[in-house]
Amino acid sequence: PSSRTIRITREEDGGVYVAPSHPYNAKGSLATRSQTSYRGELRAVAHVVTHAIQPVEIVSDCQAVVRRFEQVLKAATRNSRPPPADAETDIWEVVEARVANAPPGFFTIRWMPSHLREKPDAARIAIAEGLVTQDDIDRNDEVDALARDGADAHRVPAEYRIIAKSRRRIAD
């Protein structure tokens, strides 16, 4: 089967972009108290690995998630367990189980620098070095837009954020 390249984002919410108007494009809130970019990125990876029906290459702009996923892939090829995850074990357990049960080579992952559209000099260098293509940059912009839409769907009202910050200062 042919391989699909899936772009995922490093926003507070997860976003998955395959192609324009593709049914597997996805966005969503983290639905948890832990609203970190790492968790959002990882949720996007989990979405890809739980919904993939053909081999996929995941392209991510979060180095920490890429490195951990590479450990998971390596462990799966040796039929062993990867080192324990430092954070977000609830999601990593889902990812690890799916990867362990997939055929070898079903999932691949590679890192790309983020926000290259905003850094034209860095983009030219990354393209010249073969790290990314213009298509990678375009798709990363699309997935960032999906993630922003997901984040906007559950914005916390400003007054609640102010109250929460005040409570943290009092507690410190």
Side-chain angles (χ1 to χ4, degrees), residues 10 38 41-42 60-71 92 109 111:
R10 193 181 67 107
Y38 180 88
E41 183 78 13
L42 180 54
S60 172
D61 61 9
C62 179
Q63 286 182 326
V65 169
V66 169
R67 282 193 298 265
R68 174 76 179 130
F69 194 85
E70 288 171 340
Q71 291 177 331
W92 276 117
I109 193 165
W111 174 78

Side-chain angles (χ1 to χ4, degrees), residues 19 34 45 52 54 57 61 70 79 81 86 90 97 112 125 138 145 147 150 159:
S34 176
V45 169
Q54 64 186 31
E57 175 189 44
D61 61 9
E70 288 171 340
N79 290 325
R81 296 217 15 99
D86 293 334
D90 58 323
M112 72 168 284
I125 292 168
D138 296 342
E159 59 270 15

Side-chain angles (χ1 to χ4, degrees), residues 157-170:
E159 59 270 15
Y160 293 156
R161 290 193 306 271
I162 291 167
I163 292 168
K165 286 180 184 178
S166 296
R167 286 182 179 164
R168 272 196 299 270
R169 271 186 292 226
I170 292 168

Side-chain angles (χ1 to χ4, degrees), residues 101-134:
N101 289 306
F106 193 85
F107 298 110
T108 59
I109 193 165
R110 70 180 165 91
W111 174 78
M112 72 168 284
S114 62
H115 308 293
L116 286 175
R117 173 103 41 233
E118 301 160 14
K119 308 172 204 166
D121 291 338
R124 277 191 293 281
I125 292 168
I127 290 170
E129 291 177 351
L131 186 59
V132 298
T133 65
Q134 185 60 50

Side-chain angles (χ1 to χ4, degrees), residues 4-170:
R4 278 258 183 231
T5 299
I6 309 291
R7 281 5 181 238
I8 58 179
T9 187
R10 193 181 67 107
E11 298 291 333
E12 293 168 352
D13 283 304
V16 176
Y17 181 81
V18 178
S21 303
H22 196 282
Y24 292 150
N25 291 350
K27 62 184 175 191
S29 69
L30 295 180
T32 181
R33 295 172 90 191
S34 176
Q35 298 282 323
T36 65
S37 59
Y38 180 88
R39 189 170 179 86
E41 183 78 13
L42 180 54
R43 278 285 307 266
V45 169
H47 178 85
V48 171
V49 300
T50 57
H51 291 86
I53 57 173
Q54 64 186 31
V56 296
E57 175 189 44
I58 299 168
V59 180
S60 172
D61 61 9
C62 179
Q63 286 182 326
V65 169
V66 169
R67 282 193 298 265
R68 174 76 179 130
F69 194 85
E70 288 171 340
Q71 291 177 331
V72 170
L73 289 171
K74 186 182 278 187
T77 61
R78 294 187 310 238
N79 290 325
S80 63
R81 296 217 15 99
D86 293 334
E88 316 302 352
T89 55
D90 58 323
I91 303 174
W92 276 117
E93 287 172 356
V94 171
V95 170
E96 290 168 12
R98 179 66 171 103
V99 170
N101 289 306
F106 193 85
F107 298 110
T108 59
I109 193 165
R110 70 180 165 91
W111 174 78
M112 72 168 284
S114 62
H115 308 293
L116 286 175
R117 173 103 41 233
E118 301 160 14
K119 308 172 204 166
D121 291 338
R124 277 191 293 281
I125 292 168
I127 290 170
E129 291 177 351
L131 186 59
V132 298
T133 65
Q134 185 60 50
D135 185 54
D136 291 330
I137 295 169
D138 296 342
R139 288 176 178 229
N140 198 42
D141 289 347
E142 293 291 336
V143 78
D144 284 346
L146 286 170
R148 278 191 301 278
D149 289 349
D152 289 344
H154 78 280
R155 287 272 180 231
V156 175
E159 59 270 15
Y160 293 156
R161 290 193 306 271
I162 291 167
I163 292 168
K165 286 180 184 178
S166 296
R167 286 182 179 164
R168 272 196 299 270
R169 271 186 292 226
I170 292 168

